[in-house]
Amino acid sequence: MSEQSFTSKLRAIFEERRGTHVSSYDPTELAAILTERQLFPQLHEIPELTNLLAMYSGFHTSLMPIPHVLPAVISKILSTQSANTILDPCAGVGSLLAIARQATSAKRCIGYNSSRSEGELGKTLFPEAEWFIGQALELLPHHENNLDVVISLLLFSVPTNESIQLLDTAGNQIELKGDLGNLILAAAMARLSENGVGLFVVPPSFFHSTRSIIKHIPYLGFSLDAALFLPPGSFSPYTSIGSYLLVVKKGLKKRMFVGELTNDHHTNLQILENFSKGEQGDSVDLGCYVDALEFRGVDLLRAKDYFESASKHFGFPTFVLEDLATEINLGRLADGVCFPLASNAICSGNIYSHDREK
C-alpha cells in the first residue's frame, strides 16, 4: 500500500468523526478500527499517523508530532550505525522506533509506553516490536548495557521528585535529580553498548537549567557529539518552543558539533556531512564546534558570529560589555571632564558658581 493511499484512508477515518468529542480518537478504538479495516502502515508511514493524531486531537493527546525533517536526518545519522537492539523509552506509537529500524535493520526493537491505550495502538501499527507498558525509569534497570541505539522524543520539562543512581567512570555512585526527561535520558544512555549511540530530542533548557543532567554526562563516561537545533513550532501544537536533537556516544570529547536544521533537505545534508567529517561550516547554521558545557543556544552563537563579522567589516574590535564596564570609573574625574550639576559646574574636582563667573 502506498503512502498516499494509507494517509488518505487514515485521514478519512478522522474526518468521519470530525466535530465529535476528542475521546472518539482514543488510541485503543483507532487500533480496533485499523484492524477491522485491515489498514496497516509500512514503517515509514507510522510518523504520519502520529502527526494526524496530534493535528486532530491537539492537546488532548500526549503524542508529539514528528517534524518532517526528522526522519531523513535520523536515517542519515544512523546510516553507518551497526545495530542489533534499539529502544525508545518514550515510544508513543513507535514513530522514532520505526525510523531507527528502517535505518539500521536492527533485529530487536523495544518500545516503552506509560499509556496502555497508546501501547495497544503501537502494537497494532508496529507488531514486530516488543512493547512494554510502564514507567521508563522502572523498566530501564532490567536491561543490560547492550543497546546499540536509544532514540526518544523525551518529555519536555515534566517535574518529578524521583532520582536515579548511576555509576561514574571511577565506579562511584552518582545520584541524579532533575526533570523526568533528563532522568530518562541518563538512565537510557547508561544502557548503551560500547559503540552505541543515543538520539534524544530535548528542550533548550537542557543546556542552561540548573536541573539539567548535562554537567554529569562527562563523569558518566559519555559525550555530546552533536546538538542539532529544531526551530520553534517544529512540534506544534504540542509546544511552540524550539528543541535540539542530541547525539550521545561513549567516550570523552570536549567539543560538540552544533547546527540548525531547516525545511531544506539539501541544507540539512550539508550540515550532516560537515558533522560526519568533523568540519565546521561556512556559518553557524551549517555547523560549528563548541564546548558542550558552555553552550547556551544557537541564537547566542549566531549573535556572536554576527558581531565578529561586523567587527572585521568595519575594522573595529568587539567588546564584552562586562569588560568594558570595568574600564569606566565614574568615581574619579579626569582633568578637563565637566558635568553640569544643578546651577553649578564641576571641573576637575573644583566647583565654580555662576555668580563667581560673572
Side-chain angles (χ1 to χ4, degrees):
M1 182 178 294
S2 67
E3 182 176 0
Q4 183 180 5
S5 176
F6 171 77
T7 302
S8 61
K9 289 184 178 181
L10 183 62
R11 193 179 296 273
I13 291 175
F14 284 103
E15 290 292 340
E16 291 172 8
R17 289 158 176 73
R18 196 170 214 177
T20 60
H21 194 271
V22 292
S23 61
S24 62
Y25 304 122
D26 178 81
T28 303
E29 183 182 3
L30 181 58
I33 293 172
L34 294 176
T35 301
E36 179 184 354
R37 301 187 186 186
Q38 294 295 296
L39 181 59
F40 303 111
Q42 298 180 35
L43 288 182
H44 71 274
E45 297 169 320
I46 297 177
E48 183 61 25
L49 181 142
T50 304
N51 292 345
L52 286 177
L53 275 172
M55 180 179 70
Y56 281 94
S57 301
F59 293 104
H60 298 280
T61 178
S62 61
L63 295 175
M64 292 177 67
I66 307 300
H68 293 294
V69 304
L70 266 189
V73 170
I74 291 172
S75 297
K76 182 67 175 178
I77 293 174
L78 294 179
S79 60
T80 59
Q81 181 73 27
S82 175
N84 182 64
T85 304
I86 58 179
L87 177 141
D88 186 342
C90 303
V93 295
S95 295
L96 297 189
L97 200 61
I99 295 170
R101 169 68 178 278
Q102 274 197 299
T104 63
S105 300
K107 296 180 181 178
R108 189 182 183 197
C109 301
I110 305 167
Y112 294 165
N113 201 314
S114 60
S115 167
R116 184 167 297 280
S117 61
E118 287 181 9
E120 288 299 320
L121 181 56
K123 290 179 183 178
T124 301
L125 300 173
F126 194 176
E128 299 88 356
E130 301 173 32
W131 289 90
F132 294 86
I133 307 302
Q135 300 298 325
L137 293 182
E138 297 176 0
L139 295 171
L140 279 167
H142 298 288
H143 277 287
E144 297 180 1
N145 300 354
N146 63 347
L147 300 176
D148 301 305
V149 175
V150 176
I151 186 168
S152 195
L153 206 171
L154 296 171
L155 303 169
F156 282 15
S157 303
V158 177
T160 179
N161 292 323
E162 293 187 72
S163 64
I164 60 173
Q165 301 279 345
L166 295 177
L167 295 179
D168 64 13
T169 55
N172 302 314
Q173 277 200 341
I174 297 179
E175 182 181 21
L176 298 182
K177 296 181 179 180
D179 292 338
L180 184 58
N182 270 249
L183 297 183
I184 293 174
L185 186 156
M189 175 185 70
R191 284 354 187 236
L192 284 172
S193 61
E194 192 62 31
N195 297 312
V197 60
L199 299 178
F200 303 98
V201 178
V202 300
S205 60
F206 179 81
F207 291 103
H208 58 75
S209 172
T210 56
R211 292 178 61 81
S212 175
I213 56 97
I214 186 172
K215 58 183 176 293
H216 297 289
I217 288 179
Y219 297 102
L220 297 171
F222 291 86
S223 297
L224 298 179
D225 261 23
L228 304 176
F229 184 62
L230 290 157
S234 297
F235 292 97
S236 179
Y238 184 87
T239 179
S240 61
I241 65 173
S243 57
Y244 288 87
L245 174 64
L246 300 183
V247 181
V248 181
K249 291 185 178 181
K250 278 193 173 182
L252 298 179
K253 294 181 182 178
K254 189 175 181 181
R255 307 291 283 175
M256 175 181 72
F257 182 87
V258 174
E260 179 171 355
L261 301 175
T262 72
N263 290 322
D264 183 74
H265 178 66
H266 296 290
T267 300
N268 293 338
L269 285 180
Q270 183 61 61
I271 293 171
L272 295 176
E273 183 178 355
N274 292 339
F275 171 47
S276 65
K277 292 181 177 180
E279 298 177 351
Q280 295 211 146
D282 296 331
S283 65
V284 170
D285 294 344
L286 292 178
C288 63
Y289 280 88
V290 301
D291 187 319
L293 297 182
E294 294 181 1
F295 177 68
R296 293 297 179 269
V298 165
D299 289 340
L300 290 178
L301 284 182
R302 192 181 293 111
K304 180 182 178 182
D305 185 58
Y306 170 80
F307 284 116
E308 287 179 352
S309 298
S311 174
K312 293 177 182 178
H313 177 75
F314 291 107
F316 291 100
T318 57
F319 292 96
V320 177
L321 289 180
E322 182 180 359
D323 296 339
L324 186 61
T326 61
E327 299 297 324
I328 301 175
N329 186 348
L330 293 180
R332 298 177 60 186
L333 297 172
D335 290 342
V337 178
C338 300
F339 294 97
L341 180 63
S343 62
N344 298 327
I346 301 178
C347 295
S348 301
N350 297 317
I351 301 178
Y352 299 90
S353 70
H354 290 289
D355 291 336
R356 185 173 175 180
E357 290 178 355
K358 293 178 182 179

